[in-house]
Amino acid sequence: MSLSPSFADRIAQLRARVDIAAVIGAVVKLRGGKKARGQCPFHGSKSDSFAVDVDGWRAKCWGCGWSGDAIKFVQDQYSLSFAEALARLEGGQTADLTAAPRRREKQAAPRREVEMVPSIELGRYLWKRGVVDPDAVRIYLIARGVPAAVLTDRRLTDFRYVGLGPIVPWRMDRGPDSVPQAPAIVALVRGLPASGLGPGPVHDLDDWSPVGVHVTWLSPDLRGKMVRARRDGSTYPARKMLGPVGAGGVWLPGDDFGLPAGAGLFVGEGNETVLSGMGLCGAGTHDWGLAALSLGNLQGGEPRIRGAIPLFDPRPSVDRPPLCFAHRGRVTGLIDADMAPLRGPIDRATGRHVGEKLIEKKGGPIVQREMTSGERSELCGTLFVRAWRALGSDARAVRPPMGMDFNDAAREGR
């Protein structure tokens, strides 16, 4: 479909101000952060087959094959035309929509006549093509607000710079030069030690085996993320994690060869969050950072009692523990304070959120209401601290001012 310039401009403006997770979250109960998942509303899945890429402003169901942006979601969920869905989103008028979604049958993915290389092959190619160039990596990170003082060459050990590399997998009968290209920063993701996480120090980076990469494609001047449009007016995602990286993270080491017992360890969700937080907290060159890459790795699974979150005394999940280990030094959890509220599922009769199930005090009833951004941030911090302290670490959690992430705070010097 070719879009007129006016439609393209409207879509670009909408994408800049509308959170696709909020649009889809009004219908689908999503779990996770920028790679959220939930049950598909189009074929009635019982598993979390519906994936939302916040940075890429796209969503896809791996069960029935539905894919699209926020506009396409509103189209199919409420049986509207493209123009109607666009206008509704522009005006913020979706709460009163109650039409049943267009149903789809779960089906196997259509077999391609020509196979594409696996996404992990894209990751391997980018890592091998990358070069050690801390100065190029710093251009992007400093433009994002990361304090230059924390960006030592040692701390960027696991980062590579690609002057021009593919942004999507390519056909197996062609080469990587056959797809669109852009500059990129590639960070190595290291997985759990073979012995698992438990008591004992992290002696050096080799204790954690490489399992994949975290890629950020950049604008030509390297000062921002790539913005590249597809033919349908949507944009390619500017960030991807490639490989089995679910239980891994990106290490940001200090000057010492290994992580010393007395060194500070700063843990947050993303690379930029950790680096900005280290700058704001006055981290020294001997301190280390760890980007956990997901809210699940940072805090673990949300605790539940009879299906409700116990706000009065949340305990780390046994079934879905966070990424943590015993460290004989201060561990600081960097908890962003701009998390989206949890509004719970949608009542199809009214089209309104029914609220998240919560228990506010010990022995109290289950109530359903919106869980605020502040409550989510506090919950994350509490779970983080308790999980690390359970392993004997001296843990604390810090947050920027409410409504901000650590990049925002670093830019404003707060």
Side-chain angles (χ1 to χ4, degrees), residues 25-29 343-347 352-357 368:
V27 177
V28 180
K29 183 176 182 179
R343 298 186 175 93
I346 288 287
D347 183 338
R352 299 183 182 280
H353 293 276
V354 299
E356 189 70 39
K357 290 184 178 180
Q368 283 192 258

Side-chain angles (χ1 to χ4, degrees), residues 364-387:
I366 294 176
V367 298
Q368 283 192 258
R369 62 166 176 82
E370 177 182 287
M371 185 177 176
T372 67
S373 177
E375 288 173 328
R376 288 197 68 191
S377 181
E378 184 175 354
L379 173 68
C380 179
T382 299
L383 294 175
F384 175 91
V385 168
R386 288 183 168 178

Side-chain angles (χ1 to χ4, degrees), residues 58 61-62 96 109-110 116 125-126 128 181-182 233 280 285 315 323 341 364 382:
R58 301 283 296 176
C61 176
W62 297 98
D96 60 336
M116 311 295 286
Y125 178 85
L126 288 169
K128 291 178 180 178
Q181 312 277 308
L280 289 172
T285 58
R315 298 286 174 173
L323 193 62
T382 299

Side-chain angles (χ1 to χ4, degrees), residues 102-394:
R102 299 174 184 176
R103 305 302 297 177
R104 296 173 62 94
E105 294 296 325
K106 182 176 181 179
Q107 56 188 9
R111 185 175 181 179
R112 294 188 179 102
E113 293 183 5
V114 180
E115 293 293 328
M116 311 295 286
V117 299
S119 62
I120 194 171
E121 185 60 32
L122 169 61
R124 290 194 187 102
Y125 178 85
L126 288 169
W127 180 253
K128 291 178 180 178
R129 189 178 180 86
V131 297
V132 178
D133 189 347
D135 288 336
V137 176
R138 286 188 191 100
I139 291 173
Y140 169 73
L141 292 174
I142 291 173
R144 289 282 293 160
V146 177
V150 301
L151 299 175
T152 63
D153 287 358
R154 169 65 175 163
R155 197 155 279 141
L156 300 179
T157 292
D158 274 353
F159 286 74
R160 297 289 182 270
Y161 169 68
V162 180
L164 206 61
I167 65 176
V168 290
W170 53 91
R171 285 171 45 161
M172 294 189 72
D173 62 338
R174 297 181 181 177
D177 293 338
S178 65
V179 296
Q181 312 277 308
I185 292 173
V186 188
L188 190 65
V189 180
R190 296 178 182 269
L192 302 179
S195 59
L197 289 183
V202 174
H203 296 290
D204 57 53
L205 291 180
D206 291 337
D207 287 348
W208 292 54
S209 302
V211 294
V213 292
H214 177 283
V215 186
T216 304
W217 286 276
L218 308 176
S219 59
D221 66 0
L222 311 186
R223 297 181 183 280
K225 290 184 288 188
M226 171 192 75
V227 179
R228 181 75 66 86
R230 295 187 178 95
R231 292 181 179 180
D232 64 359
S234 63
T235 56
Y236 289 102
R239 280 183 175 161
K240 280 186 179 179
M241 288 191 286
L242 304 172
V245 299
V250 175
W251 277 102
L252 305 159
D255 287 347
D256 299 287
F257 179 75
L259 175 59
L265 175 61
F266 293 82
V267 186
E269 187 171 355
N271 298 324
E272 295 157 37
T273 285
V274 176
L275 289 165
S276 294
M278 292 178 77
L280 289 172
C281 294
T285 58
H286 64 289
D287 293 325
W288 284 46
L290 174 61
L293 301 181
S294 72
L295 192 62
N297 278 351
L298 184 62
Q299 71 169 34
E302 292 174 348
R304 299 275 173 171
I305 297 176
R306 303 191 306 279
I309 300 173
L311 294 180
F312 67 94
D313 189 24
R315 298 286 174 173
S317 171
V318 175
D319 298 328
R320 292 186 294 157
L323 193 62
C324 61
F325 53 91
H327 172 57
R328 305 310 177 197
R330 171 61 65 87
V331 179
T332 301
L334 301 165
I335 315 298
D336 285 328
D338 63 345
M339 298 182 189
L342 292 181
R343 298 186 175 93
I346 288 287
D347 183 338
R348 293 195 176 275
T350 64
R352 299 183 182 280
H353 293 276
V354 299
E356 189 70 39
K357 290 184 178 180
L358 307 171
I359 302 175
E360 298 173 325
K361 60 182 180 179
K362 185 176 182 179
I366 294 176
V367 298
Q368 283 192 258
R369 62 166 176 82
E370 177 182 287
M371 185 177 176
T372 67
S373 177
E375 288 173 328
R376 288 197 68 191
S377 181
E378 184 175 354
L379 173 68
C380 179
T382 299
L383 294 175
F384 175 91
V385 168
R386 288 183 168 178
W388 284 85
R389 286 183 178 175
L391 294 176
S393 299
D394 176 16

Side-chain angles (χ1 to χ4, degrees), residues 68-108:
D69 58 14
I71 303 170
K72 182 70 162 54
F73 182 85
V74 171
Q75 271 188 273
D76 290 352
Q77 176 66 24
Y78 302 111
S79 300
L80 301 176
S81 68
F82 173 85
E84 289 173 327
L86 177 59
R88 285 280 191 164
L89 283 168
E90 288 176 326
Q93 300 173 337
T94 57
D96 60 336
L97 294 173
T98 58
R102 299 174 184 176
R103 305 302 297 177
R104 296 173 62 94
E105 294 296 325
K106 182 176 181 179
Q107 56 188 9

